[in-house]
Amino acid sequence: MKTQTFDKKVLEMFNRATQVVSIVSTKGGVGKTTLAANMSALLADFGFRVLMIDADVQPSLSKYYPLSYTAPNGIVELMLGENNDNNIRSCISHTVYPNLDIVLSNNISGEIQTKIQVRPDRAVLLKSKLIHPIIRSYDFVIIDTQGAVGALQDAAAFAADLLLSPVMPETLSAREFLSGTNEMLNRLSYGEAIGLRVPPLFALIYNQDRTRDSKEITAEIRNYFNQFVDGKQRLLNTIIPRAKAYKEAASLRLPVHCHDRYQTNRSECAYDIMHHLVYEIWSAMGERKLEASCFDGGADLLPVDDLSGLPEQNQQENQDNNINNNAENGSGCLNENLAPSHHSSPKHSGSLPTIKLSDDVEDVLNDKALADALFTRLENQPVNFNRLNYPACLYRGNLSYKQVQVAMSLIIDEHLHKPNTQKVQALLDEMLDLSVDSPFEHFVGLCQAANEKGEE
């Protein structure tokens, strides 16, 4: 895929230099963190500078992506500290992905929440910090909030230009949204008396499955918005489906649009869905056809186990985060719950011989610098390597994204007749639930078996 050339004129699409979006819900576990992380990463991949703020007492967003720099402070100091350059800078950490930074959730204890609650300026504690020039240098600020009513959630709401609220098409979740969200908006409306505007709210159906019950509840929610909601609330047409790609990406600590890039006959890929989402919220992006390049194959889109190149003082922290994240989200393709059910019995699983890889492939798998140098060979190939959905087991051994792509291209050149993107993806899909010791050798066997089948 061609790299999306980012033009600062894109910012002219917006009335303000910085767009602030708060992800809100009065119910926990509805997908706020996943939505915040993946929407932020897509905007960053477009070329915008994005700052995520984790304002949740459960620091899930703080652990979502690996960090290249961990700031000494976080959300507590951002809200309660001085509004000066030194304090603001001390709160901003950097992820390994270009253009994507974060203010970490750090020790939001009951005592801290009480301090915020008794502040007379509690409603504008966050808003007052977001007008600082350092924050205003970002194009987007995405705030993840706690799934409970409180001063922290109110501060995040008043700081926003737009509220985005995921709602799951389940009876209890839908009822909580319809009652809890309206109560929250009614409570926030009292702020208008002192000049605090309540931002418009966009609702989003999240985690819809294929059941009739789920579809019927979605229809009821849509009917509610069509009949009873004023112009300040809107239900988006984009629907985030219940798909394992989102859990897999979280486990690998990858943006989901980089993890699930290839559309199958069964469902639309996350790459396309996330594009539809931002296009619907900011229509000018769709009009200009902004398209993600998965960070141009750079940033080495890796599981967090690859700590090479990170500052030494951050490596232990990233390792600790990885342990916690694996405990919460599973361990990539080794987690049986993440294996797509329609691949539960791959045709060639366990029946292929171990094959010696060529010296060129072995060199790439052992040398990141060589992979970087050979990366340009992927251009003008019959296979679009950026759109392939690579199984997690290929990254075992701390391989970088570039190493995997270049190694796969060498194997395909040598072992697969008449390759194309769809044909290669079909072979990769057969490896999604494998935990073989030698996945690249296994892929060679799959290529050779595909050749034999084609000659029959």
Side-chain angles (χ1 to χ4, degrees):
M1 180 187 300
K2 293 288 185 182
T3 303
Q4 172 63 47
T5 301
F6 176 64
D7 185 344
K8 274 293 182 180
K9 291 182 180 179
V10 170
L11 294 182
E12 295 175 3
M13 298 184 296
F14 307 113
N15 294 325
R16 298 178 56 157
T18 302
Q19 293 280 299
V20 181
V21 180
S22 287
I23 317 293
V24 299
S25 176
T26 56
K27 187 178 187 302
V30 295
K32 294 191 305 298
T33 298
T34 302
L35 183 61
N38 287 309
M39 189 168 71
S40 297
L42 182 63
L43 292 170
D45 200 1
F46 282 165
F48 293 105
R49 291 194 69 224
V50 181
L51 177 66
M52 302 183 293
I53 297 180
D54 192 351
D56 193 349
V57 294
Q58 301 287 338
S60 300
L61 184 62
S62 299
K63 298 178 181 180
Y64 210 95
Y65 295 131
L67 304 178
S68 61
Y69 166 73
T70 304
N73 295 325
I75 184 64
V76 171
E77 291 76 17
L78 180 69
M79 294 191 70
L80 298 180
E82 296 294 324
N83 196 13
N84 57 43
D85 289 6
N86 289 337
N87 183 57
I88 298 294
R89 287 196 180 96
S90 76
C91 299
I92 298 177
S93 300
H94 308 307
T95 76
V96 298
Y97 301 108
N99 306 317
L100 187 58
D101 295 341
I102 184 171
V103 174
L104 300 174
S105 174
N106 61 328
N107 192 29
I108 307 177
S109 62
E111 179 184 357
I112 295 298
Q113 294 188 73
T114 300
K115 286 183 178 180
I116 294 173
Q117 182 68 42
V118 300
R119 290 273 298 247
D121 60 343
R122 59 185 177 274
V124 294
L125 268 178
L126 191 52
K127 186 181 183 72
S128 64
K129 300 299 171 40
L130 299 190
I131 63 175
H132 191 281
I134 291 177
I135 304 295
R136 284 297 180 184
S137 69
Y138 290 90
D139 303 314
F140 288 91
V141 176
I142 310 295
I143 306 172
D144 187 24
T145 66
Q146 60 181 345
V149 174
L152 202 55
Q153 187 185 74
D154 289 353
F158 282 127
D161 301 307
L162 170 69
L163 303 177
L164 186 59
S165 184
V167 53
M168 298 176 69
E170 300 172 353
T171 301
L172 293 179
S173 181
R175 287 176 181 171
E176 173 61 28
F177 171 81
L178 297 178
S179 61
T181 302
N182 279 325
E183 289 176 5
M184 178 189 72
L185 293 176
N186 288 335
R187 186 182 70 258
L188 293 175
S189 67
Y190 291 115
E192 294 178 354
I194 56 173
L196 293 176
R197 183 183 67 95
V198 179
L201 180 141
F202 286 1
L204 170 73
I205 300 297
Y206 187 90
N207 207 28
Q208 184 190 61
D209 59 30
R210 298 174 182 270
T211 64
R212 190 172 78 173
D213 185 58
S214 179
K215 294 178 180 178
E216 288 178 350
I217 294 174
T218 296
E220 290 178 8
I221 295 171
R222 196 169 297 282
N223 182 60
Y224 170 81
F225 273 84
N226 289 337
Q227 293 190 42
F228 303 110
V229 174
D230 59 27
K232 294 183 179 180
Q233 298 182 52
R234 172 185 166 195
L235 181 64
L236 297 176
N237 292 320
T238 305
I239 294 176
I240 306 296
R242 179 172 295 175
K244 293 180 179 179
Y246 296 87
K247 289 185 177 180
E248 291 174 343
S251 181
L252 291 171
R253 305 179 84 179
L254 291 170
V256 73
H257 76 274
C258 296
H259 173 63
D260 183 33
R261 293 164 298 202
Y262 189 82
Q263 184 169 345
T264 66
N265 292 330
R266 291 178 58 86
S267 61
E268 191 173 20
C269 62
Y271 182 95
D272 291 338
I273 291 171
M274 294 307 300
H275 278 70
H276 295 331
L277 174 61
V278 297
Y279 290 169
E280 189 172 6
I281 297 174
W282 297 286
S283 59
M285 292 188 187
E287 292 170 2
R288 292 184 65 99
K289 298 182 180 179
L290 299 187
E291 189 172 0
S293 64
C294 292
F295 300 96
D296 199 24
D300 287 340
L301 303 181
L302 306 171
V304 74
D305 292 335
D306 187 340
L307 299 176
S308 60
L310 298 187
E312 183 177 349
Q313 65 269 28
N314 294 322
Q315 292 190 10
Q316 185 59 51
E317 292 180 39
N318 278 276
Q319 289 171 336
D320 292 342
N321 281 347
N322 186 39
I323 293 170
N324 292 336
N325 205 51
N326 284 343
E328 294 169 3
N329 297 311
S331 301
C333 71
L334 302 183
N335 185 338
E336 293 181 357
N337 293 328
L338 299 183
S341 59
H342 61 287
H343 292 299
S344 58
S345 300
K347 179 178 179 181
H348 303 292
S349 178
S351 61
L352 297 170
T354 299
I355 300 167
K356 179 78 166 62
L357 291 177
S358 68
D359 291 339
D360 289 341
V361 175
E362 289 284 5
D363 289 343
V364 166
L365 295 179
N366 290 314
D367 190 340
K368 286 187 179 181
L370 177 61
D372 291 344
L374 294 176
F375 191 69
T376 56
R377 78 181 303 278
L378 301 182
E379 296 180 2
N380 302 318
Q381 296 279 327
V383 176
N384 189 333
F385 290 93
N386 276 335
R387 294 302 300 270
L388 292 174
N389 180 15
Y390 298 99
C393 51
L394 290 175
Y395 290 103
R396 290 166 59 190
N398 294 339
L399 296 178
S400 75
Y401 185 68
K402 289 183 179 180
Q403 282 177 290
V404 170
Q405 284 195 315
V406 174
M408 295 298 289
S409 72
L410 293 170
I411 292 172
I412 290 166
D413 281 350
E414 184 175 351
H415 296 286
L416 186 62
H417 297 165
K418 298 179 180 179
N420 59 59
T421 305
Q422 187 171 3
K423 184 176 183 179
V424 172
Q425 186 62 59
L427 298 179
L428 290 173
D429 285 348
E430 297 194 37
M431 299 177 63
L432 284 176
D433 59 349
L434 293 181
S435 57
V436 293
D437 293 332
S438 304
F440 291 93
E441 288 89 337
H442 193 89
F443 184 75
V444 170
L446 290 176
C447 291
Q448 294 180 347
N451 293 336
E452 293 174 2
K453 183 178 180 180
E455 293 171 355
E456 291 176 357

